[in-house]
Amino acid sequence: MVRGRFGGTRLARVSAGMMAATLVAGCAAGQARPPSSAAPSSAPPVTAGPRQRADPPGVLPRPGEVRPIPSDGSGLPVISSIPTRRKVVFLTIDDGWEQDPGFLRQVREQRIPITAFVMRDAVEALGAPDPAGGVGKYVGRGKWGYFRQLRDAGVPIENHTLTHPNLRTLGYEAQKAEICGSSKLIRKQIGTRPTLFRPPFGNYGADTQRAAKACGIEALLLWTATVQPGGKIAYQVPDKRLRPGDILLLHFRPDLARDFTILVDKIRRRGYELGNLDAYLKAAVRRAK
């Protein structure tokens, strides 16, 4: 039996207003293969792989820093930000099309904390990425091996479906096939079972929460701002600024290493630290018990 990351404790739903804001800027979907053909591609045996250091990358929460995430007791929790007053933000990155080795080196050598939400069709280069992101140089170059290297650098590899559908257009069983199929594939290729799920485009419903929970997911993770080409932050709040606890959404796009450098420098110049999302989620759940 695989124990959940949060010890089986249910996380809480963010406010309705924050959740509505997250639907504004979603991921761009590539051409998809139907879940019925979702058998994992052949891959070398998964090895644990040495991590660079035993301690996790990124800022860890101080005792008592993180407020408990309130619970309304319904469905699977949906989280858009972390309840802290500390100037800390969290970086997440979706899909998996552009597997830039320069980005991998940045994460590994600078020990920058990120959480990756991968989508099978992107990782395996089935179909084509959204051309709006530019012409890719490393599309599907390392396939799952690239994400095993990110894993070894301390990056959690989480669930973003198999084919990137709008889940609100699918029934319960189809949603479950997308989510469970992705979790099974990630466990086979990476060696760990996802406990976080990011719905494509930020679209989800009660069936999504129910299906995700049935697949071993413990929380749906959304975002409060997106990162555009050039490292530009697209805010989803009226004052157009970073806020403590913000979760930022990036994509595996062309020029990722360059844009990532710009973004990290911008965040730090504004006086923010980069937090370890997993540690902060655990702290929020412990406080909520």
Side-chain angles (χ1 to χ4, degrees), residues 194-211:
T195 56
L196 298 177
F197 173 62
R198 173 162 282 159
F201 315 105
N203 291 342
Y204 68 93
D207 279 349
T208 310
Q209 292 173 276
R210 189 160 60 96

Side-chain angles (χ1 to χ4, degrees), residues 40-70:
S41 61
S42 59
V46 174
T47 56
R51 293 188 183 276
Q52 288 221 320
R53 287 170 52 176
D55 55 312
V59 170
L60 302 179
R62 301 168 180 142
E65 173 197 336
V66 185
R67 301 187 300 277
I69 300 177

